[in-house]
Amino acid sequence: MSTELFYLTLTGVLAASLWIPFIVGTGLSVADPGPDFIRPPDLRALPAWVHRAHRAHLNLIEQATPFAALVLIAHAAQVSTVVTVWATAIFFWLRVAHAAGMISGVFRFPLRPIVFTAGWLCTLALAWEVLTAG
């Protein structure tokens, strides 16, 4: 497995698991979820960290989709460079830091948007490598 696919796999596991803090927080915070949990609870009624956990998950999904597409395109096109390797590794660790920092509330303005933007730049670096491959 290439390094790029390895980090894509880790990113997929992170995205597939990041719902857990939200669900745990909801379970701990909502005394009566209502009949059959028809509608999710109002995020405004939950503790701030639960709301941030929800946003951390959505933020990852927003970035992971184009990131994954570009990693798979690069793999199919047999594009693997120092830039693609570093971009995928940095992207994954930025997303781990972003999730931990956002849920804990440690990452505040301007740090959180800087980390998010750095992940976007990793995605652009992948796109550049794919588009300029000979």
Side-chain angles (χ1 to χ4, degrees):
M1 174 185 302
S2 70
T3 301
E4 295 91 340
L5 289 178
F6 172 75
Y7 281 108
L8 177 58
T9 302
L10 292 180
T11 301
V13 170
L14 180 62
S17 303
L18 206 49
W19 61 272
I20 295 169
F22 173 72
I23 294 301
V24 168
T26 300
L28 293 173
S29 304
V30 177
D32 179 20
D36 300 326
F37 197 67
I38 294 170
R39 169 176 264 174
D42 184 352
L43 291 175
R44 294 171 297 185
L46 297 172
W49 76 267
V50 178
H51 189 192
R52 290 191 307 267
H54 182 255
R55 286 300 307 151
H57 185 234
L58 293 179
N59 282 170
L60 177 55
I61 299 303
E62 290 168 0
Q63 278 198 328
T65 303
F67 171 78
L70 287 164
V71 171
L72 294 174
I73 292 167
H75 180 72
Q78 298 180 337
V79 175
S80 180
T81 67
V82 171
V83 173
T84 62
V85 168
W86 277 100
T88 54
I90 292 169
F91 179 88
F92 171 73
W93 290 111
L94 283 170
R95 295 311 311 180
V96 169
H98 184 272
M102 188 166 187
I103 294 168
S104 69
V106 171
F107 280 14
R108 297 178 186 263
F109 187 82
L111 188 55
R112 193 174 70 227
I114 289 171
V115 172
F116 185 89
T117 302
W120 174 69
L121 292 172
C122 290
T123 302
L124 290 183
L126 282 170
W128 177 260
E129 291 296 299
V130 168
L131 293 171
T132 60

